[in-house]
Amino acid sequence: MAHGAHAAGEARRVPRSWPEMPAASWLLVLLLMRVGLAQVEDDFIGLRDLPETFPSDPPEPLPVFLMEPEEAYIVKNKPVNLYCKATPATQIYFKCNSEWVHQKEHTVEERVDENTGLVVREASIEITRQQVEELFGPEDFWCQCVAWSSAGTTKSRKAHVRIAYLRKTFDQEPLGKEVTLEQEVLLQCRPPEGIPSAEVEWLKNEEVIDPADDRNFYITIDHNLIIKQARLSDTANYTCVAKNIVAKRRSTTATVIVYVNGGWSTWTEWSVCNSRCGRGYQKRTRSCTNPAPLNGGAICEGQGIQKLTCNPLCPVDGVWTEWTKWSTCGTECTHWRRRECGVPAPKNGGKDCEGTVLQSKNCTDGMCMQSSLYQKSSEAKDKSDFGNSLAPSTDDVALYVGIVIAVIMCLVISVVVALFIYRKNHRDFDSDIIDSSALNGGFQPVSIKNARKADLLTAPPDLTSAAAMYRGPVYALHDVADKIPMTNSPLLDPLPNLKIKVYNSSGLVTPQDDLGGEFASKLSPKLPHCLLDNNDCTMGRRTQTQTLLRTRDPSCTALGSFSSQGGHLIVPNSGVSLLIPAGAIPQGRVYEMYVTVQRKDNMRPSVEDGQAVLSPVVSCGPPGALLTRPLIITMHHCAVFDGQQDWLIQLKSQSQQSHWEDVVVVGEENFTTPCYIQMEDESCHILTETLGTSCLVGQALSASTTKRLKLAIFGPVTCPAMEYHIRVYCLDDTQDSLKEVLQMEKQMGGKLLDEPKTLNFKDSTHNLRLSIHDVPHTLWKSKLLAKYQELPFQQVWCGSQRNLHCCFTLERFSAVTVDLACKICVRQVEGEGQIFQLDTTLSEDSQSIDTSLLDPASNITTLVGPNAFRIPVSIRQKLCGSLDAPQTRGNDWRMLAHKLNLDRYLNYFATKSSPTGVILDLWEAQHFPDGNLGRLAQVLEEMGRHDSLVPAATEH
């Protein structure tokens, strides 16, 4: 008690001897000074038995928990037991809701580990329903196990004890639907409220649906059932079942009917005309069997029979003309007569005339008789002469054709020979002919005027029709009947692959020259003189900085002047900041420093297959500045860590030649790497002494590697036209990505239609699918020609294209309609998804989601000097002096790094002149702007190093 009284006396004398300090600093000092009192005066659990001094040879380690208390639920009135086990432990007790549990309520067992020889203690307590119900306050009932050894104390994690229940009414039950074949079906289910949260399963005709067995089913993370392509076999009754350890609830049954509209088969061939001669008809038929209507589907529209009139010509048989008169009697003693088959001639398949064409007889009444041989030859000759008189012979025709072909061949050969001789004679003159189109690509010079910015609200990127007329990259989907092609056109570019830059007289691209004056005034020296070694170098560096910042968007840039006292640069609402620790800038020097987020696509690194850009591109400066300790760059990232090694993350930096180079792989730092990276769930902290442009790039190591997407849906504030455009953005889940889109949409007159949501996107090579549902068809119609839209996997995964989005266009039937309610589903094929419930009004006075916190940076933050840090300078100096020196008990800067979860690579801190100082710098960056000094004091208390701050207090 003397020791306690002495400590109390010291505490009472502090206000008279210390100068004024912030309230957080007093809290830190008082908490550290109270540790001795807490250990001596806590007689309720028998802590007097702890030894006054700790053995130093050999040093005993801190207790390690072999078993920690688990979360527990009280079902009805059954109590629960909590267990914990630790070694080495001299004592072990439970603390519930910040109060120690009575020693009598503990069941403690003690044994000695045969392998290590250390004492193992196990404790258990029983918690009843009455104890849980008697607790009042916002926090649930919790218990924590505390173990002691000669080296100090160790606390287990908190285990919450809750009363389990499950309400009877579903928050949302599935509704029956009638859908067409191959249509996507969405059945929503929000289970009843319960503790623990209810598990959900779906029944199809009272049988459990397992998506692993039938991949046509997919159950989202929010318990909705999606039938990807409705089949006839999917016509069934569907029930949502919610259950936990207390009860099991069933929703009302939703009947899904998959109907098939009838379709015509192909037409048969035309039949033969039913009349052989004269007017008739022919027909063809088709049937409503392709497919036949099912489950109430519509029957085919139109006729199943088509008839066509026909009028085939009747056949006409040939008839002979009358015989001509007999010819004069010839020297052969015969005369002739002839007739023709032409009254009428045979046609349309009629029969030819029967009989001979020529007739001859003796014209001397037998007085002039010719031999039979002569008569026959004469008759043959006469017949031949008669035939020749009608048509030329076959030999004559062949002769004429041969002559014509020979003439044509001669002409062709002559032309070929002439061309050959001409080309040979003029070959030497070809080199003197210069085609000017070869120098300008076939285009004549034209003057390009500044293109007027496209109005997104009047000319959105219609993904249904754009791919048919755009000449840029087109991503075709597998099934053109179900899907539509997607373009990768940027939001504000009316045509892809058409980039127009306006050049001034000096040839430099000046997209934002109007910002130069503002930044030049901000970058002017704020001090009368600057104590730098080389004035020329200083002026060159300042000029370089001003030139670099002239084209920066002020909404994503922060800048200020800093001395050796350090400070903080913060780009608001972007997750990007630069911490300049005290002492990082050499004494007597002042640096004009900046940090900016690069938003141009050409500033982003190119990635290979499987790689993804995980963070914004951040530039810090001035480049080449001399620093005496690491600065800390903080930025957001979109990688998901679930305890497995799914990512290989690299830090890349841009060289002066604008080439991206690998700096370090996270987890593979060594003595030669120039920086250290501390990864957290949503952000990273880069400790470096070299300023420049950098970003994080990740390589997927498995198909389960996941990155976070931020989904945001926008529409116009007002809509005077009949069409209404809904834009769905799929962004990397970083603060700056969403901030940029919010700024851009605000400038174009857009508004958020629903709260942005996060989606986990896996490296499964599956596309991102977007679809719209429950559009009121009596008031609106969708102009989407396909059932859904898809963003290609590589576009979404690599993150090289900013502001990636799709557009849904709806058309209202009447201008009187001002309300719109529908749902938009965004999900990865074979992966997770999100559903947005849109309920908006097309008027200026409609309520929109508040985005004031993410407006452009009118409040760029610069903190200079000690006010930029949570830990006061005096306490910081004392901590560094106390913890930098190694301790035999191990409670030095290494234990501090372990307690603060910063011990992944201790060798980095060991190479610094003050490891504790670098650790505290990192703590400042992690917990900016509201670092909890009480938590830091608790860590020092657990380390048993509270005494390091007491002398500092007495000195003041």
Side-chain angles (χ1 to χ4, degrees):
M1 291 302 295
H3 175 73
H6 176 71
E10 290 292 324
R12 287 192 295 270
R13 290 196 295 270
V14 166
R16 295 195 296 270
S17 59
W18 285 14
E20 294 183 1
M21 297 180 64
S25 302
W26 280 111
L27 174 61
L28 177 65
V29 174
L30 291 176
L31 284 174
L32 295 177
M33 292 173 60
R34 294 286 297 175
V35 174
L37 294 175
Q39 293 183 349
V40 174
E41 295 177 359
D42 202 340
D43 298 334
F44 181 71
I45 60 171
L47 295 184
R48 287 180 178 174
D49 298 336
L50 288 176
E52 293 292 337
T53 60
F54 297 101
S56 58
D57 188 21
E60 188 177 25
L62 286 170
V64 176
F65 280 97
L66 305 178
M67 178 192 302
E68 296 187 76
E70 302 286 344
E71 301 283 320
Y73 299 94
I74 296 178
V75 179
K76 297 182 179 179
N77 293 319
K78 296 180 181 179
V80 297
N81 292 319
L82 301 181
Y83 300 90
C84 69
K85 184 190 301 183
T87 182
T90 57
Q91 293 190 33
I92 185 168
Y93 291 99
F94 274 94
K95 177 189 288 186
C96 293
N97 304 312
S98 301
E99 295 182 0
W100 292 105
V101 178
H102 198 281
Q103 187 175 6
K104 295 180 180 180
E105 298 179 9
H106 287 76
T107 301
V108 180
E109 296 181 3
E110 177 183 346
R111 65 181 178 85
V112 177
D113 191 303
E114 297 179 356
N115 297 325
T116 62
L118 299 177
V119 176
V120 179
R121 286 183 179 270
E122 180 178 355
S124 64
I125 59 173
E126 183 178 84
I127 306 298
T128 64
R129 183 186 184 102
Q130 181 179 359
Q131 291 176 272
V132 177
E133 290 177 341
E134 288 176 351
L135 176 67
F136 293 97
E139 191 173 9
D140 292 334
F141 189 97
W142 61 269
C143 291
Q144 186 180 38
C145 195
V146 183
W148 284 264
S149 74
S150 59
T153 62
T154 303
K155 297 179 181 179
S156 71
R157 63 169 173 261
K158 291 181 179 180
H160 292 87
V161 180
R162 301 178 177 92
I163 298 176
Y165 68 92
L166 183 63
R167 301 195 185 282
K168 295 183 179 180
T169 306
F170 279 73
D171 291 343
Q172 184 173 10
E173 295 188 291
L175 300 177
K177 295 185 178 182
E178 294 184 0
V179 298
T180 59
L181 193 67
E182 296 184 353
Q183 180 179 338
E184 185 177 80
V185 183
L186 172 65
L187 297 178
Q188 292 184 280
C189 175
R190 282 166 42 191
E193 179 185 350
I195 294 179
S197 299
E199 297 179 357
V200 174
E201 63 182 10
W202 283 86
L203 303 181
K204 175 183 177 182
N205 292 337
E206 301 303 320
E207 294 185 1
V208 178
I209 296 176
D210 185 0
D213 295 337
D214 191 344
R215 302 182 67 86
N216 195 43
F217 291 105
Y218 173 71
I219 299 177
T220 65
I221 56 176
D222 47 356
H223 313 304
N224 297 322
L225 177 66
I226 293 178
I227 305 176
K228 300 175 184 177
Q229 291 184 327
R231 305 161 297 191
L232 291 176
S233 59
D234 294 327
T235 299
N237 295 323
Y238 293 86
T239 308
C240 180
V241 179
K243 59 183 178 180
N244 65 3
I245 59 178
V246 178
K248 182 177 182 179
R249 313 291 186 206
R250 292 170 57 97
S251 71
T252 56
T253 299
T255 301
V256 175
I257 298 177
V258 182
Y259 62 87
V260 179
N261 294 326
W264 289 112
S265 64
T266 57
W267 289 102
T268 61
E269 298 291 336
W270 288 102
S271 65
V272 180
C273 190
N274 64 343
S275 174
R276 183 174 176 272
C277 176
R279 184 178 178 85
Y281 69 90
Q282 56 187 147
K283 68 178 181 179
R284 64 176 183 176
T285 61
R286 61 178 179 175
S287 59
C288 188
T289 57
N290 187 32
L294 291 175
N295 296 335
I299 61 175
C300 303
E301 296 181 359
Q303 300 295 326
I305 299 177
Q306 281 186 345
K307 290 185 178 181
L308 187 67
T309 59
C310 55
N311 191 12
L313 298 176
C314 298
V316 177
D317 296 336
V319 178
W320 292 110
T321 60
E322 295 293 333
W323 290 102
T324 61
K325 293 181 179 181
W326 291 99
S327 64
T328 57
C329 191
T331 57
E332 292 85 2
C333 302
T334 57
H335 60 171
W336 305 83
R337 67 176 182 175
R338 58 186 294 272
R339 60 179 180 177
E340 295 180 355
C341 186
V343 285
K347 59 182 179 179
N348 301 330
K351 296 180 180 179
D352 289 334
C353 301
E354 295 182 357
T356 60
V357 178
L358 296 175
Q359 189 178 35
S360 67
K361 68 178 181 177
N362 192 293
C363 59
T364 59
D365 295 330
M367 296 180 6
C368 179
M369 297 295 295
Q370 299 291 332
S371 66
S372 60
L373 178 60
Y374 175 78
Q375 182 179 359
K376 289 181 180 179
S377 64
S378 297
E379 291 178 357
K381 182 177 183 300
D382 292 338
K383 290 180 181 180
S384 176
D385 293 340
F386 178 76
N388 290 339
S389 65
L390 296 178
S393 68
T394 304
D395 294 338
D396 293 339
V397 173
L399 177 62
Y400 297 150
V401 172
I403 293 173
V404 171
I405 293 175
V407 171
I408 293 174
M409 291 298 294
C410 291
L411 290 175
V412 171
I413 293 173
S414 300
V415 171
V416 172
V417 172
L419 287 176
F420 176 77
I421 295 173
Y422 178 81
R423 289 173 62 88
K424 182 176 181 182
N425 293 337
H426 292 77
R427 181 176 301 169
D428 297 335
F429 298 98
D430 289 346
S431 58
D432 297 332
I433 301 174
I434 298 178
D435 186 3
S436 63
S437 65
L439 301 178
N440 55 24
F443 294 93
Q444 297 298 325
V446 297
S447 60
I448 302 177
K449 298 183 179 180
N450 288 334
R452 179 174 60 87
K453 287 187 178 180
D455 187 356
L456 183 62
L457 302 180
T458 58
D462 187 356
L463 302 178
T464 303
S465 59
M469 62 182 179
Y470 286 177
R471 296 290 183 179
V474 176
Y475 296 85
L477 302 176
H478 299 293
D479 189 356
V480 296
D482 294 344
K483 309 174 186 178
I484 63 174
M486 300 288 298
T487 69
N488 61 347
S489 59
L491 179 63
L492 298 179
D493 293 347
L495 291 177
N497 289 350
L498 177 60
K499 297 183 178 179
I500 301 176
K501 296 183 179 179
V502 181
Y503 289 81
N504 58 18
S505 58
S506 63
L508 297 176
V509 182
T510 57
Q512 293 178 335
D513 282 342
D514 57 329
L515 299 178
E518 179 183 354
F519 273 99
S521 62
K522 289 185 178 181
L523 290 174
S524 60
K526 298 184 179 180
L527 299 178
H529 51 274
C530 184
L531 302 177
L532 293 178
D533 295 336
N534 192 327
N535 291 331
D536 295 336
C537 178
T538 304
M539 294 302 297
R541 184 178 300 162
R542 181 176 299 135
T543 302
Q544 181 182 6
T545 302
Q546 293 177 358
T547 303
L548 181 64
L549 289 175
R550 286 186 62 195
T551 58
R552 294 293 181 268
D553 185 352
S555 66
C556 56
T557 301
L559 63 154
S561 296
F562 296 92
S563 64
S564 60
Q565 290 185 330
H568 215 147
L569 280 176
I570 307 99
V571 181
N573 308 312
S574 66
V576 175
S577 64
L578 175 64
L579 179 72
I580 303 102
I585 298 176
Q587 191 71 30
R589 296 191 180 184
V590 176
Y591 289 167
E592 294 177 353
M593 310 193 72
Y594 65 87
V595 58
T596 183
V597 181
Q598 303 287 355
R599 287 183 173 174
K600 295 182 179 179
D601 286 332
N602 59 3
M603 289 295 294
R604 301 175 73 84
S606 59
V607 295
E608 302 174 354
D609 291 341
Q611 289 186 336
V613 179
L614 300 178
S615 73
V617 179
V618 177
S619 295
C620 300
L626 176 63
L627 302 171
T628 57
R629 64 186 302 164
L631 275 60
I632 302 178
I633 305 169
T634 299
M635 64 178 73
H636 271 210
H637 66 80
C638 59
V640 176
F641 301 102
D642 56 0
Q644 300 180 0
Q645 296 295 328
D646 292 335
W647 283 104
L648 179 68
I649 298 180
Q650 290 179 306
L651 177 68
K652 288 180 176 285
S653 66
Q654 193 177 40
S655 64
Q656 295 181 354
Q657 293 77 22
S658 299
H659 298 307
W660 285 94
E661 300 173 349
D662 298 338
V663 178
V664 64
V665 177
V666 177
E668 298 182 6
E669 294 93 340
N670 53 47
F671 290 104
T672 62
T673 52
C675 61
Y676 170 78
I677 303 175
Q678 179 68 27
M679 298 295 299
E680 296 181 352
D681 290 340
E682 296 183 357
S683 62
C684 69
H685 309 279
I686 304 170
L687 285 74
T688 180
E689 298 179 23
T690 304
L691 299 179
T693 301
S694 58
C695 76
L696 292 183
V697 174
Q699 174 72 48
L701 299 181
S702 68
S704 61
T705 304
T706 306
K707 65 179 286 187
R708 293 188 314 276
L709 300 180
K710 182 67 72 175
L711 308 176
I713 299 184
F714 291 84
V717 176
T718 59
C719 184
M722 301 299 286
E723 291 184 349
Y724 187 80
H725 306 292
I726 301 173
R727 295 176 294 280
V728 184
Y729 288 86
C730 305
L731 314 169
D732 289 344
D733 187 17
T734 60
Q735 281 191 17
D736 186 71
S737 297
L738 182 59
K739 172 185 173 182
E740 181 184 6
V741 171
L742 286 167
Q743 293 176 211
M744 182 173 55
E745 283 286 343
K746 185 176 181 180
Q747 293 175 356
M748 295 184 300
K751 67 174 182 179
L752 265 175
L753 301 182
D754 197 0
E755 291 286 352
K757 297 183 179 181
T758 301
L759 174 67
N760 287 338
F761 190 78
K762 291 189 175 181
D763 182 26
S764 59
T765 70
H766 291 297
N767 295 342
L768 190 67
R769 180 173 296 177
L770 303 93
S771 56
I772 189 167
H773 304 269
D774 299 344
V775 177
H777 297 293
T778 58
L779 303 175
W780 297 82
K781 72 173 181 179
S782 173
K783 302 192 73 174
L784 185 66
L785 301 180
K787 298 176 182 177
Y788 49 80
Q789 305 183 61
E790 282 191 353
L791 288 174
F793 167 81
Q794 190 60 28
Q795 268 190 306
V796 180
W797 180 258
C798 70
S800 295
Q801 180 177 342
R802 296 159 41 256
N803 306 334
L804 192 63
H805 73 288
C806 286
C807 183
F808 291 95
T809 301
L810 302 179
E811 183 178 2
R812 48 183 171 171
F813 297 119
S814 171
V816 181
T817 303
V818 294
D819 295 324
L820 172 62
C822 62
K823 295 177 182 177
I824 289 183
C825 178
V826 183
R827 67 180 181 90
Q828 186 180 18
V829 180
E830 308 294 341
E832 296 184 6
Q834 289 284 10
I835 296 176
F836 291 86
Q837 178 67 56
L838 306 187
D839 190 357
T840 184
T841 302
L842 281 62
S843 60
E844 291 187 5
D845 56 354
S846 61
Q847 293 292 329
S848 61
I849 295 175
D850 183 22
T851 59
S852 59
L853 295 178
L854 292 176
D855 278 346
S858 59
N859 56 340
I860 295 178
T861 305
T862 302
L863 301 176
V864 179
N867 292 330
F869 308 103
R870 292 286 294 165
I871 304 175
V873 176
S874 59
I875 294 180
R876 180 190 182 90
Q877 291 174 349
K878 190 59 183 177
L879 283 174
C880 294
S882 176
L883 299 180
D884 281 346
Q887 299 291 323
T888 57
R889 293 171 55 187
N891 54 350
D892 49 21
W893 64 269
R894 292 166 295 181
M895 183 178 292
L896 177 64
H898 173 73
K899 290 287 186 179
L900 297 179
N901 295 322
L902 304 177
D903 57 342
R904 181 176 61 81
Y905 183 61
L906 290 176
N907 288 337
Y908 177 81
F909 303 107
T911 60
K912 305 305 174 185
S913 59
S914 175
T916 307
V918 178
I919 293 172
L920 294 178
D921 292 340
L922 187 51
W923 183 88
E924 291 272 7
Q926 282 183 312
H927 299 87
F928 179 82
D930 50 358
N932 187 352
L933 291 178
R935 170 57 185 155
L936 183 59
Q938 184 181 359
V939 168
L940 296 172
E941 174 188 347
E942 294 174 358
M943 291 173 56
R945 293 307 302 268
H946 56 281
D947 56 322
S948 63
L949 292 184
V950 176
T954 58
E955 290 175 5
H956 292 275

